[in-house]
């Protein structure tokens, strides 16, 4: 499908109910793209954003998150910070992947909007209690905040509509160690705690195949198995820029927007952030482009038909010599334990990419001038 073709196949009329979304992120280049996608999506009610340490330290995450929201005129969204270290380990960040400040080569004005007075995990619990069964929590970061939230409120799985996780690697190699994915490997204790908290005690709702009185849906987990199929390439950036009404000659595809006066501010941000991310992938993954893990998870939270999932029991390795942080999936059910995750195994990448380009391109176009 050509990138400039309209693909708004989710009708969202004025009266349609929007999907209330809470995002937990460690912004991060691909996290920032997920935030843009959320703001650009008419069916998304962005309830709040909680910040986790991960790609950069938690204070820088909160700075980046607010700066991005301000860039697109959403300083009304509550942004909270929480614990600044993983549950049981020292924080490791990844400047080589996302740049020293987490947004590649991009420069954004310092954030002006205030940080929430609420602690991230308190915010998650309070919002879930305020709207029981309504909120979808999308995690794009280590699971530290969610683990603390479920420790405070063990009913959290029942209070949320669904948990959608970007994290783990279930049938694919890792991206941090040979078998581990970044978000889980930064705070494996938190991931284990969350996966166990959502282990079914029994359920009669879709997304769980265990009979019993307790109803909550299994989390959807998008691991590298599917997120590494979402490769954002220079041609995608050129298509998005064209949709936003700039660089009709495709010159933006090189990614260097900061020296092009008059470029749309969202396109400028994307070009400068993605140039860094694409250089990283070219060094480590041997293609000039970028995996956009986090926007795919966010898009899936809004439209689950983008992926096909399989229910599986997953545990997290905490004491391996080579494998700490590995998400061990019991595909053959040798443990005899009920599945606790719906792991994404197939994804409609072209549909997702076209939708990303259309929506974020239109968001940028609407903010021009
Ligand atoms: C995850 O790690 C982070 O670097 C990305 O933002 C994404 O959430 C992919 O492994
Ligand atoms: Ca992330």
């Amino acid at each position: 499908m050509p990138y400039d073709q309209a693909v708004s196949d989710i009708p969202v009329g004025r009266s349609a109910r929007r999907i209330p979304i809470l995002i937990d992120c460690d912004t991060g280049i691909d996290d920032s793209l997920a935030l843009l996608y959320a703001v650009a999506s008419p069916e998304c009610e962005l309830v709040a954003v909680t910040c986790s340490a991960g790609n950069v330290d938690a204070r820088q995450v909160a700075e980046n998150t607010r700066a991005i929201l301000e860039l697109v005129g959403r300083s009304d969204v509550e942004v909270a910070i929480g614990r600044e270290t993983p549950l049981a380990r020292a924080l490791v960040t990844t400047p080589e992947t996302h740049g020293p400040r987490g947004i590649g080569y991009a420069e954004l004005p310092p954030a002006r909007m205030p940080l929430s007075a609420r602690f991230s995990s308190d915010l998650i619990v309070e919002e879930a209690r305020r709207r029981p069964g309504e909120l979808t929590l999308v995690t794009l970061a280590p699971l530290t905040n969610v683990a603390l939230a479920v420790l405070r409120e063990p009913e959290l799985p029942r209070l949320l509509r669904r948990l959608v996780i970007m994290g783990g690697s279930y049938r694919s190699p890792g991206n941090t160690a040979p078998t581990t994915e970044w978000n889980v490997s930064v705070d494996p204790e938190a991931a284990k705690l969350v996966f166990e908290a959502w282990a079914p005690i029994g359920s009669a709702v879709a997304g769980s195949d265990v009979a019993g009185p307790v109803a909550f849906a299994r989390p959807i987990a998008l691991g590298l198995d599917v997120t590494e199929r979402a490769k954002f390439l220079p041609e995608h950036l050129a298509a998005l820029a064209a949709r936003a009404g700039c660089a009709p000659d495709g010159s933006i595809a090189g990614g260097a927007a900061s020296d092009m006066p008059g470029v749309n501010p969202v396109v400028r941000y994307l070009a400068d952030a993605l140039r860094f991310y694409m250089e990283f992938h070219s060094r480590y993954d041997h293609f000039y482009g970028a995996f956009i893990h986090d926007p795919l998870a966010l898009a899936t939270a809004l439209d689950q038909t983008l992926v096909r999932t399989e229910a599986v029991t997953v545990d997290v390795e905490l004491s391996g010599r080579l494998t700490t942080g590995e998400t061990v999936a019991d595909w053959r059910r040798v443990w005899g334990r009920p599945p606790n995750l719906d792991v994404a195994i197939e994804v409609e990448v072209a549909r997702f990419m076209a939708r990303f380009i259309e929506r974020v391109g239109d968001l940028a176009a609407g903010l021009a001038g």
Side-chain angles (χ1 to χ4, degrees), residues 32 80 86 105 110 115 154 167 187 197 203 208 218 231 235 244 263 295 306 367:
S32 72
Y105 296 119
L115 257 185
D187 196 343
S203 174
S208 177
R218 273 190 295 269
K231 289 181 177 173
E235 71 211 60
V263 163
L306 286 172
L367 294 164

Side-chain angles (χ1 to χ4, degrees), residues 38-309:
V39 170
S41 294
E43 77 278 25
C44 176
E45 178 199 344
L46 184 52
V47 174
V49 182
T50 53
C51 300
S52 165
N55 291 322
V56 285
D57 67 72
R59 301 223 154 245
Q60 186 68 50
V61 170
E63 170 66 26
N64 296 345
T65 302
R66 288 177 296 152
I68 291 289
L69 290 170
E70 282 180 13
L71 177 70
V72 291
R74 289 303 308 271
S75 51
D76 58 302
V77 177
E78 183 173 357
V79 176
I81 196 170
R83 183 183 165 109
E84 296 186 37
T85 54
L87 294 188
R89 295 168 196 262
L91 174 65
V92 186
T93 59
T94 183
E96 70 282 8
T97 314
H98 295 269
R101 287 170 299 114
I103 52 173
Y105 296 119
E107 311 250 351
L108 291 174
R112 281 165 303 154
M113 60 191 271
L115 257 185
S116 169
R118 298 199 274 181
F119 201 66
S120 285
S121 48
D122 292 339
L123 184 156
I124 293 170
V125 169
E126 286 161 14
E127 290 303 311
R129 283 180 182 156
R130 197 165 68 81
R131 301 172 71 172
E134 285 185 31
L135 300 184
T136 298
L137 172 59
V138 189
T139 68
L140 312 174
L143 287 158
T144 316
N145 287 330
V146 187
L148 292 174
V150 84
L151 284 174
R152 181 178 156 193
E153 174 51 280
E155 291 296 306
L156 191 63
R158 276 161 286 271
L159 289 170
L160 291 172
R161 178 160 180 260
R162 197 111 197 222
L163 173 63
V164 178
I165 298 168
M166 190 286 124
S169 195
Y170 302 90
R171 273 178 166 148
S172 291
N175 62 359
T176 304
T179 60
T180 64
E181 180 279 328
W182 174 259
N183 287 338
V184 176
S185 73
V186 169
D187 196 343
E189 282 77 13
K192 186 175 174 69
L193 200 149
V194 168
F195 292 177
E196 284 175 1
W198 263 260
I201 322 164
S203 174
V205 296
S208 177
D209 53 12
V210 177
V214 185
F216 59 85
R218 273 190 295 269
I220 298 175
L222 291 97
L224 301 178
D225 319 65
V226 289
T227 64
E228 290 196 346
R229 292 186 218 162
K231 289 181 177 173
F232 200 81
L233 303 172
E235 71 211 60
H236 295 120
L237 182 58
L240 192 154
R243 184 143 186 135
C246 58
D249 60 354
S251 54
I252 209 92
S258 33
D259 52 2
M260 291 184 198
V263 163
N264 177 293
V266 176
V267 173
R268 176 187 300 275
Y269 170 76
L270 288 171
D272 288 343
L274 283 166
R275 183 157 40 98
F276 189 98
Y277 210 29
M278 289 180 180
E279 288 171 2
F280 164 82
H281 285 83
S282 143
R283 273 198 305 283
Y284 290 90
D285 297 293
H286 314 297
F287 73 102
Y288 192 81
F291 299 131
I292 52 168
H293 314 272
D294 293 345
L296 177 62
L298 198 280
T300 300
L302 293 171
D303 177 6
Q304 289 162 25
T305 69
L306 286 172
V307 298
R308 191 164 70 78
T309 61

